[in-house]
Amino acid sequence: MSKKIQAIRGMNDLLPSESSLWSALDETINNLMVSYGYKYCSTPIVESTETFSRAIGEVTDIVEKEMYTWKDTSGDSLTLRPEGTAGVVRMMIEHNLPREGIQKVFYNGSMFRHERPQKGRYRQFHQVGAEVFGVSDAKIDAELISITDSLWKLLGINASLEINTLGSSESRSAYRELLHDFFSENKDQLDEDSLRRLDTNPLRILDSKNKKMESLISNAPKMIDHLDDESKIHFSMLRNYLDSLEIPFTVNPKLVRGLDYYNQTVFEWISNDLGSQGTICGGGRYDGLVEKMGGNPTPAIGFAMGIERIALIVKDQSNQINKTKPHLYFVALGEKSQIESIKLSKKILSALPNIIITNDMSMGGLKNQMKKADKSNADFALILGEEELLNNQLSIKPLKGQGAQQLIKLEGIIHHLEEIL
Ligand code: ATP
Ligand code: MG
């Protein structure tokens, strides 16, 4: 026997048994975004490496060590997208979209990062993200947070909101100097990663996960104490909006997010049900990015959520989203009934599109087909034998719980199913 071929570590199959949960998640998120006036868009999985290195920033975990990058035959450097914002911004500029006024879009797709695989952290994973272009007011920051809050409620997820502000780019540069000075004075306490970041991106030292640096970081100057007036107003407007929406939050001064492009508002939603991979959604404002990527200056903000992490939480709950559709198993006996069963299934499904009908394909006898019906986890068996066919009837047998088998006239079948399903 030849050696078995296996999937790449950290890149998962979506098994048929798990796909209904994923479809329900996609559908719920899709409906929610559309109902808030966001339009779906999609960008290629592969882009020029520069799309990401320029947007995300050279001195970030993603660009430094997590991207799948290669040279194609023409010598161009290409990369599998590690996140969605860079591509969407590239698309917006390429098609001149911000010129058409405020743009609200969302996307849904695979992302790729070369990380150490563990629960909730994979090398291919899925994000749904939203981006808004052309609004600088904190009202949109609040709307995005409010949409995600509604989503957790729809999915029955408990998550807490952390927010922070990174200030305007001016106040951020002044703060950067302060941080640089502070960490330079305490160089002996920095780990290797942080030493490297000291001169290039001292803000990133703040979200180091190294426990040994925890107390040093908590003593570092805080952005929130060094905001200019514009940033102070923006942040207090956001807090007002959140208060009036009754969305509880905590201000976490250490929240800087892993990507370079953020300014003003940043936020994360954290679930307690996932251990250390608890962040299910992160977002923030990136007013400078469109210009940095070659477009006209355009304020912008977005979020991205990790679908694997959300699916891990929702999987263990028996809530609305986990409810499967009513399921019928069609048992047909004899050649004529087999033909009729396919026709009838088609008729029933066009009238009742939200149910599932499994047509038996083993062509066995009654006992054999009923065994399969029981195993299929269907709610009812539809039984069409020669006698039923002759009398224009169909038997319906409940497969779960009580209730007797019933004979129904074929012309009344849809009406009957509507009543019992
Ligand atoms: P983390 O701190 O967990 O590495 P991040 O800051 O790198 O997260 P973002 O780039 O903000 O993550 O991505 C948004 C969301 O995408 C995260 O909150 C998370 O839910 C999900 N996500 C990020 N990386 C992964 C991954 N490797 N596997 C699965 N989900 C991920
Ligand atoms: Mg990460």
Side-chain angles (χ1 to χ4, degrees):
M1 216 199 300
S2 314
K3 192 170 163 260
K4 252 195 259 164
I5 299 175
Q6 289 188 322
I8 291 165
R9 212 161 80 87
M11 301 200 177
N12 302 318
D13 298 309
L14 174 62
L15 299 178
S17 57
E18 288 163 17
S19 60
S20 64
L21 172 66
W22 276 68
S23 307
L25 276 177
D26 279 351
E27 198 181 314
T28 308
I29 299 171
N30 203 67
N31 289 343
L32 183 68
M33 295 312 305
V34 168
S35 67
Y36 271 91
Y38 287 68
K39 293 206 171 104
Y40 180 75
C41 67
S42 125
T43 62
I45 286 172
V46 177
E47 300 250 0
S48 301
T49 303
E50 201 195 348
T51 305
F52 305 111
S53 54
R54 213 198 296 176
I56 299 167
E58 296 283 352
V59 193
T60 53
D61 281 347
I62 293 181
V63 176
E64 278 180 339
K65 50 190 182 205
E66 295 175 358
M67 295 204 303
Y68 286 89
T69 294
W70 72 97
K71 278 216 168 17
D72 83 348
T73 44
S74 61
D76 296 335
S77 181
L78 304 179
T79 293
L80 285 181
R81 64 179 178 200
E83 54 95 62
T85 304
V88 171
V89 169
R90 197 261 318 127
M91 171 191 84
M92 283 284 153
I93 298 169
E94 194 168 329
H95 299 275
N96 262 325
L97 297 180
R99 283 220 190 120
E100 294 170 18
I102 294 168
Q103 301 285 327
K104 293 181 171 185
V105 300
F106 73 104
Y107 60 83
N108 180 349
S110 297
M111 306 296 158
F112 302 83
R113 297 185 193 175
H114 199 277
E115 305 203 64
R116 193 170 65 80
Q118 54 200 290
K119 187 182 171 198
R121 190 174 294 286
Y122 310 102
R123 290 181 171 173
Q124 177 174 3
F125 60 100
H126 297 77
Q127 284 185 338
V128 171
E131 318 286 353
V132 178
F133 298 88
V135 188
S136 54
D137 196 274
K139 185 173 180 184
I140 196 69
D141 310 27
E143 178 176 278
L144 286 170
I145 292 174
S146 167
I147 293 174
T148 43
D149 179 61
S150 301
L151 180 64
W152 315 143
K153 296 207 164 102
L154 279 171
L155 300 178
I157 289 179
N158 273 321
S160 46
L161 173 65
E162 294 189 355
I163 62 171
N164 191 25
T165 175
L166 303 177
S168 63
S169 60
E170 296 79 35
S171 62
R172 196 145 78 120
S173 342
Y175 172 64
R176 211 182 139 111
E177 289 303 307
L178 276 176
L179 265 189
H180 180 261
D181 294 347
F182 173 82
F183 286 124
S184 299
E185 282 159 23
N186 296 284
K187 233 177 180 168
D188 51 327
Q189 295 180 55
L190 296 181
D191 63 12
E192 203 183 311
D193 265 348
S194 303
L195 274 175
R196 205 160 29 82
R197 286 171 175 167
L198 182 59
D199 292 319
T200 44
N201 196 350
L203 250 83
R204 288 300 320 283
I205 300 177
L206 294 180
D207 74 349
S208 158
K209 283 169 186 135
N210 187 345
K211 289 257 179 262
K212 286 191 192 134
M213 289 172 41
E214 213 166 281
S215 77
L216 176 70
I217 289 171
S218 62
N219 289 325
K222 301 196 166 38
M223 181 72 237
I224 211 157
D225 301 324
H226 300 277
L227 294 174
D228 56 20
D229 286 346
E230 181 205 334
S231 310
K232 271 188 202 150
I233 293 170
H234 191 92
F235 198 46
S236 92
M237 287 301 289
L238 173 64
R239 283 176 298 182
N240 286 345
Y241 276 119
L242 294 177
D243 285 340
S244 68
L245 283 160
E246 296 180 33
I247 300 175
F249 61 87
T250 50
V251 175
N252 174 3
K254 283 195 284 183
L255 181 66
V256 296
R257 312 255 316 117
L259 298 85
D260 235 7
Y261 49 59
Y262 290 109
N263 68 296
Q264 305 288 17
T265 309
V266 285
F267 63 93
E268 283 188 353
W269 285 99
I270 296 143
S271 154
N272 286 328
D273 298 331
L274 287 175
S276 53
Q277 262 63 251
T279 307
I280 50 174
C281 176
R285 190 165 266 288
Y286 51 92
D287 294 331
L289 185 60
V290 177
E291 194 178 8
K292 191 175 169 200
M293 296 285 283
N296 295 318
T298 309
I301 178 166
F303 65 68
M305 57 180 90
I307 302 300
E308 278 78 3
R309 294 185 191 178
I310 292 171
L312 277 171
I313 300 174
V314 175
K315 201 164 124 186
D316 300 328
Q317 300 170 352
S318 57
N319 60 15
Q320 197 54 30
I321 187 129
N322 250 339
K323 290 230 165 66
T324 46
K325 297 174 174 178
H327 183 181
L328 309 176
Y329 194 97
F330 210 139
V331 170
L333 305 162
E335 198 177 320
K336 276 191 188 144
S337 301
Q338 293 293 1
I339 292 171
E340 193 57 32
S341 68
I342 292 263
K343 266 172 70 185
L344 253 176
S345 303
K346 194 168 179 184
K347 192 171 146 193
I348 296 172
L349 283 176
S350 65
L352 306 170
N354 277 320
I355 67 170
I356 299 169
I357 299 181
T358 303
N359 273 292
D360 185 277
M361 292 294 159
S362 64
M363 319 300 244
L366 179 64
K367 228 173 157 182
N368 175 304
Q369 290 194 40
M370 283 308 294
K371 232 192 213 162
K372 298 213 167 67
D374 278 324
K375 246 180 135 173
S376 75
N377 207 23
D379 303 292
F380 293 90
L382 303 179
I383 306 162
L384 189 64
E386 272 163 29
E387 206 182 313
E388 280 101 346
L389 195 60
L390 218 60
N391 298 324
N392 271 321
Q393 287 176 323
L394 185 73
S395 295
I396 298 189
K397 184 174 190 228
L399 297 174
K400 291 176 184 164
Q402 308 299 324
Q405 182 166 325
Q406 275 183 295
L407 261 179
I408 311 291
K409 278 261 167 230
L410 277 186
E411 67 249 32
I413 183 71
I414 287 170
H415 182 68
H416 183 77
L417 287 173
E418 269 170 343
E419 269 178 10
I420 61 168
L421 295 178

